[in-house]
Amino acid sequence: MKKIPIAISSCLLGNKVRFDGGHKQSKYCLKTLSDWFDYQPICPEMGIGMPAPRPPIRLIDDDDNIRVVQADDHSYDVTDELKAYAKDKLHVLDDICGYIVIRNSPSCGMERVKVYHKNGNPAGKSDRGVYINEIMTERPELPVEEEGRLQDAKLRENFITRVFAYQDFKDSVKSAPSVDALVKFHSRYKYLVMAHNYSDYKKLGRLVANNDGLDLNKLVSTYELVLMQTLGKIANAKSHSNVLYHILGYLKEDLTSTAKQELVNVIEQYRTGYVTLIAPLTLINHYIKQFGNDYIAQQAYLNPHPVELGLRNYI
Ligand code: SF4
């Protein structure tokens, strides 16, 4: 299987690029995800010519203007360099399907990076790292996640779902855009989207129908953005159960009443928190192999990421 191109904060791969000359190696990224992800390590601070080790930098609030400056010398300001570096990187990051960053970095932090007053006191607010903010603004559809948040089972499953869906969208639709390719993609993703947000599922359906007569490029780019924003919403036990019951509807004619009741019981056990999502899905996948039609068997919802990652064992 072709590995998915993913950008990553270089220090997470064990490269000694941090201000203190060290790294923040992530075993999960390096050992587990690397079987599926092809990493492109980026250190924006080294990229703009800062050495390692180097004096630490921080975000400061300069009259409501967020700047990145050296903590003990505010005249050393690298805001414009980091922004320019991000703009340069966007060209070479065109093929990436996700970005894993590190928290609290004034360059790479995705959220809640502490902001200081010019006098050195905490400003009581937070912001995004300046470099990654440029990337996320220019590529709003791109899945971005902080490595620390990947410890949370739901956030981990959500991020990896988005990465695989985004790669699929690029391969199936963006590589050779057509209305037919978009309709087929939407058909496969119907239940995955429904699990993440029901009203967005309706919205995407209306978009594909293209009643507004958007030209193809606009249609594809609008769909892509709404799709990725929708998948960024965390699916919960209620929305997953709703999808599981929809899928059960395709099987009920073929299942014996005992098998049907058993499946309903397992869905309810999942909905009420006694088993994880993998339990009803294993049963459903089993029955779909036996009785399912092509439409239901092709649903991305059934296998949105490699089973070896075990992501649905924990949600
Ligand atoms: S700038 Fe980003 S990649 Fe470089 S050391 Fe800091 S957090 Fe790591």
Side-chain angles (χ1 to χ4, degrees), residues 9-11 17-18 42-45 54 102 105 107-108:
S9 295
S10 181
C11 51
V17 293
R18 277 172 56 82
I42 297 169
C43 176
E45 291 175 22
R54 55 186 172 273
I102 192 162
S105 159
S107 305
C108 295

